[in-house]
Amino acid sequence: MSETTEQGPVPARQSRWSSILRVVFEFGLLFGVALLTRQLLVAANVGSYPNPLWLPVIVLSLQHGLAAGLAAAIVATGLQYWEGLPPALMSDDMYAYIGRIAAEPIGWTCVALLIGHIRSRQIANHAQLEAELAEQGRQSAAVADLCVDLRGRTEMLERHIAAAGRASDIDVAEAVSELSRASFDDLAPRLTRFMILLTGAVEFSVYALRDDELKPAFRSHDDHRPAAAVTREDPIHAAIVAERRTLSSARAADGAVLGDRWVLAGPLLDGNAPDRVIGMLAIGDVAPADQPQDIERRFALAASEVARLVGRIAVLDSWQAAAAASRSNGHAAEPAATASAVDAVEPEATAPAAVVPPPAESPPVQRIRPTLPDNELTLQ
């Protein structure tokens, strides 16, 4: 706030000084041209000509309004009689002499008043219209932001209403049962349905603990950006792995740790060793005000169910990554990639649940017998 207050008047002050300098430059330029023109006309011995000092008075009145026009009339009067008043003629009385020398200054003043007043009203109306346009632009931007926020909250509430309408005890029990019997083909949709029914969160991520890092294993939302692992330097890693705490953005301290990544994050504990962390469950895209009152209890129950599937989810992630890599070079997916992906899973990640083999319709694994030396006997 202090920086804005200190830096705010600077552009306005610079603009005001630049406008003043521009007006002074225009005064000097126009009166210089007028004086030069008058000298040229006098040198040419032209008998009758309009006074060139009318030019700056009219132009400045049209350009800058009443104040500049009156100032131009005063300057023109001073330049007109800079060398002194003209001598009176023999036929002039006092009134005729005063009228003759005051005719042009009075005309300059009247022109400045008339043209300058009209121009000043136009400038004031233009400034008012610009201010109204700027205010309407700010109001339109605020309304647009409110519409975007309202749309997001409406979609969130619709998802919550839909989840609350389906989240009966039978549906939750059915989702848990289907999740425990999920295969590699339907694990992702069943896990997504289970999380929506239990927590109302459409966007969630599952991380597996590997090499002392929380590495992404599953994401429900379709995001083309690669998910980053949670390293040991991240404060979330210490809170999840070391302290085994559930972080919620509803609490100020946890919100500072989570930042804008998630609204809830908690550890996934090994069922056989409750003190051992095997991963992390995190949900996002839910405002704290839109969460159910018992969201932490629902989240804890969801984390306990997801913890049993960390090994299977990690295998599914490795399997999909290997399949994508094999398709990227134009060749068909090799069965050996599946076997290598299964072997790459660490024991601690597969401890909660047994690894489900690939579906029956996948091609059988062909093992290539290594070539034996010529001096050995191979029995068929």
Side-chain angles (χ1 to χ4, degrees), residues 315 318-326 332-344 358 365:
V315 172
S318 301
W319 190 20
Q320 292 176 348
S326 63
E334 297 180 0
T338 305
S340 61
V342 175
D343 296 337
V365 178

Side-chain angles (χ1 to χ4, degrees), residues 13 16 48 111 120 175 186 266 268 271 277-279 287 302 358:
R13 190 181 302 115
R16 183 167 59 252
S48 177
V111 169
S120 295
D186 55 6
L268 300 177
V277 177
I278 59 175

Side-chain angles (χ1 to χ4, degrees), residues 1-14:
M1 182 66 69
S2 60
E3 295 181 356
T4 305
T5 306
E6 293 176 358
Q7 298 178 3
V10 174
R13 190 181 302 115
Q14 292 178 353

Side-chain angles (χ1 to χ4, degrees), residues 16 26 66 94 114 151 159-160 181 247 324 362 366:
R16 183 167 59 252
E26 291 179 2
L66 180 60
M94 182 180 65
L114 178 61
R151 180 179 179 181
R159 290 197 295 265
H160 284 176
R181 293 182 287 103
L247 303 176
S362 61
Q366 298 178 2

Side-chain angles (χ1 to χ4, degrees), residues 149-171:
D149 182 67
L150 180 61
R151 180 179 179 181
R153 292 179 63 87
T154 302
E155 293 177 354
M156 184 62 61
L157 290 176
E158 288 177 354
R159 290 197 295 265
H160 284 176
I161 293 173
R166 296 193 303 267
S168 63
D169 296 338
I170 298 177
D171 292 334

